[in-house]
């Protein structure tokens, strides 16, 4: 509704030759896209929690047969939720573009401006699921641990402690529904932003449909690539003991990044024209934007920089959070001198762990704007 209100307020002073009718239409379709994004996010979270509750019971049963069956059951159920979230979001976004296009006709700029409400709707649900669920699960977690460990000397997550039920419910809401909504919101927002940028470029003016769908093609090929990569953990090289789980998951991340790089290049070369114009911020204070000639492989470099930047951040995150490496071992060792040194050392290590991601993100932004 807020999107509709702001669109109606903006219609008082229409820009780019738009009439009040165009602004009202944009407001209406932005509201529809907002509701669609919110419903998709809710559905993704609900199905994720449904899958998780069934998978937990099945994984516990499979664990009686060994680590490998339990790991494969847990990994496959997690993959189902991930693929469900991304494919459902991609499908609904594509259908919204097709249906909205029937009403917008040749006005692609207005069409993709209205589509941005889809990402905003997903983010609004992510706020409630992630923040609300996170607050609930942390309160339940701390309460259960205090009652069980401090007062009754019961281990963490012990079934003899009734408060563990609230802890598990909070984990399901915050870590599954909230995280799923958060990931969906990030996916929808980034895709919608890319579509808006392409709509104001020469691709939008020339109505180059494959070029305009480049962001969706990247997501679609990424889903297919990741489906193939999951076979490594489930069939080719499953973890047979606990110490191998971390290495298997890291292998998944590395292989998917390596395979996705040539796929991205192929999509950029085939879907995009050899050269096209793109509006970029102007350094001239008298102008807002300048026109820049962009080659199709430039977009490949942008996507590849984010792809490999994400891999670098993932690997360094593992280094700072895994008990196989020195940082976590040093934090554990600092506990010997008391909780004060443990808190100080852990806080300092947390600050230190943000250095590499900051540099990686800065480099990716620089590459994307060069």
């Amino acid at each position: 509704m807020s999107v509709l209100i702001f669109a109606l307020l903006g219609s008082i002073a229409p820009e780019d030759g738009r009439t009040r009718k165009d602004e009202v239409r944009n407001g209406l379709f932005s509201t529809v896209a907002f509701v669609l994004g919110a419903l998709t996010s809710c559905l993704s979270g609900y199905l994720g929690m449904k899958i998780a509750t069934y998978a937990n019971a099945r994984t516990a049963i499979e664990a009686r047969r060994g680590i490998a069956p339990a790991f494969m059951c847990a990994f496959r159920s997690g993959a189902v939720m991930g693929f469900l979230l991304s494919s459902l979001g991609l499908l609904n976004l594509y259908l919204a573009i097709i249906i909205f296009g029937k009403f917008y006709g040749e006005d692609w700029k207005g069409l993709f401006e209205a589509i941005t409400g889809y990402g905003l709707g997903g983010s609004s649900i992510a706020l409630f699921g992630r923040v609300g669920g996170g607050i609930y699960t942390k309160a339940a977690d701390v309460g259960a641990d205090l009652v069980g460990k401090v007062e009754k000397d019961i281990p963490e997550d012990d079934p003899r402690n009734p408060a563990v039920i609230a802890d598990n419910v909070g984990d399901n809401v915050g870590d599954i529904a909230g995280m799923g909504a958060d990931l969906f919101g990030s996916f929808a927002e980034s895709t919608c932003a890319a579509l808006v940028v392409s709509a104001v470029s020469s691709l939008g003016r020339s109505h180059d449909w494959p070029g305009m769908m480049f962001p969706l093609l990247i997501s679609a090929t990424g889903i297919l690539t990741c489906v193939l990569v999951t076979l490594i953990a489930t069939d080719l090289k499953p973890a047979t003991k606990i110490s191998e789980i971390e290495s298997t998951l890291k292998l998944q991340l590395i292989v998917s990044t390596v395979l996705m790089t040539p796929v991205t290049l192929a999509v950029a070369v085939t879907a995009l024209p050899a050269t096209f114009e793109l509006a970029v911020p102007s350094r001239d204070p008298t102008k807002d934007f300048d026109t820049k000639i962009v080659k199709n492989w430039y977009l490949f470099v942008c996507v590849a920089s984010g792809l490999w930047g994400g891999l670098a951040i993932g690997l360094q995150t593992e280094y700072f959070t895994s008990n196989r490496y020195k940082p976590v071992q040093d934090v554990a060792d600092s506990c010997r001198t008391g909780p004060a040194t443990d808190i100080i050392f852990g806080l300092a290590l947390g600050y230190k762990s943000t250095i590499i991601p900051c540099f990686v993100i800065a480099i990716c932004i620089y590459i994307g704007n060069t």
Side-chain angles (χ1 to χ4, degrees):
M1 186 60 66
S2 61
V3 178
L4 175 58
I5 293 174
F6 282 115
L8 292 175
L9 290 175
S11 65
I12 297 175
E15 299 177 356
D16 299 332
R18 292 189 179 184
T19 63
R20 184 181 182 85
K21 180 180 178 181
D22 294 332
E23 297 297 333
V24 172
R25 180 183 62 180
N26 260 25
L28 290 172
F29 279 96
S30 295
T31 304
V32 173
F34 179 91
V35 173
L36 179 62
L39 292 177
T40 304
S41 184
C42 291
L43 180 61
S44 299
Y46 172 77
L47 294 177
M49 289 191 293
K50 198 81 171 177
I51 293 169
T53 49
Y54 281 114
N56 287 341
R58 294 184 179 183
T59 302
I61 294 175
E62 291 293 331
R64 299 178 180 178
R65 299 168 49 200
I67 295 298
F71 172 76
M72 285 189 287
C73 180
F75 187 87
R76 285 170 177 165
S77 60
V80 168
M81 188 225 170
F83 289 130
L84 177 69
L85 184 149
S86 55
S87 58
L88 189 62
L90 184 64
L91 175 63
N92 287 345
L93 181 58
Y94 179 75
L95 292 177
I97 293 173
I98 296 297
I99 295 174
F100 285 14
K102 302 294 183 181
F103 297 90
Y104 276 88
E106 300 297 322
D107 184 15
W108 282 25
K109 183 179 179 181
L111 166 63
F112 289 105
E113 283 182 359
I115 286 295
T116 55
Y118 185 78
L120 183 60
S123 297
S124 65
I125 298 300
L127 173 65
F128 291 101
R130 195 76 173 125
V131 178
I135 292 173
Y136 178 87
T137 186
K138 285 306 171 189
D141 191 5
V142 173
D145 290 344
L146 287 177
V147 172
K149 291 181 179 179
V150 177
E151 297 185 8
K152 299 297 182 181
D153 196 25
I154 299 177
E156 184 176 356
D157 293 338
D158 193 287
R160 293 174 295 174
N161 184 359
V164 171
I165 298 175
D167 181 15
N168 292 335
V169 171
D171 288 338
N172 203 16
V173 174
D175 296 338
I176 298 176
M179 179 66 76
D182 194 12
L183 292 175
F184 170 77
S186 300
F187 160 75
E189 284 183 334
S190 59
T191 304
C192 292
L195 290 172
V196 171
V197 172
S198 61
V200 298
S201 67
S202 61
L203 297 174
R205 294 193 297 269
S206 63
H207 295 150
D208 187 342
W209 181 253
M212 286 291 299
M213 292 296 103
F214 176 74
L216 300 185
L217 288 173
I218 291 294
S219 300
T221 54
I223 293 174
L224 296 177
T225 302
C226 290
V227 168
L228 296 177
V229 175
T230 54
L231 297 176
I232 296 176
T234 58
D235 297 282
L236 299 179
K237 192 181 178 183
T240 57
K241 50 187 178 181
I242 296 179
S243 59
E244 295 179 357
I245 294 178
E246 189 174 324
S247 300
T248 302
L249 296 177
K250 182 165 64 174
L251 180 63
Q252 291 279 122
L253 180 63
I254 295 174
V255 173
S256 60
T257 303
V258 172
L259 292 181
M260 193 59 198
T261 302
V263 172
T264 303
L265 177 60
V267 173
V269 172
T270 55
L272 297 171
T275 58
F276 58 94
E277 296 180 356
L278 187 66
V280 296
S282 176
R283 297 181 180 180
D284 187 352
T286 62
K287 298 189 299 182
D288 293 331
F289 296 98
D290 288 330
T291 299
K292 181 178 180 181
I293 303 299
V294 179
K295 298 180 181 179
N296 52 18
W297 62 270
Y298 289 2
L299 271 73
F300 158 72
V301 174
C302 291
V303 177
S305 64
L307 193 64
W308 286 91
L311 175 62
I313 293 175
L315 294 179
Q316 79 91 36
T317 301
E318 181 200 13
Y319 174 74
F320 279 99
T321 57
S322 173
N323 58 9
R324 297 173 57 185
Y325 300 103
K326 188 170 173 43
V328 174
Q329 295 172 0
D330 289 341
V331 173
D333 188 61
S334 66
C335 295
R336 297 180 178 180
T337 54
T341 54
D342 179 35
I343 294 174
I344 294 172
F345 194 93
L347 186 62
L349 187 65
Y351 287 146
K352 183 180 178 181
S353 67
T354 62
I355 296 175
I356 294 178
C358 288
F359 277 104
V360 171
I361 293 173
I363 292 172
C364 292
I365 293 175
Y366 177 78
I367 293 174
N369 286 275
T370 301

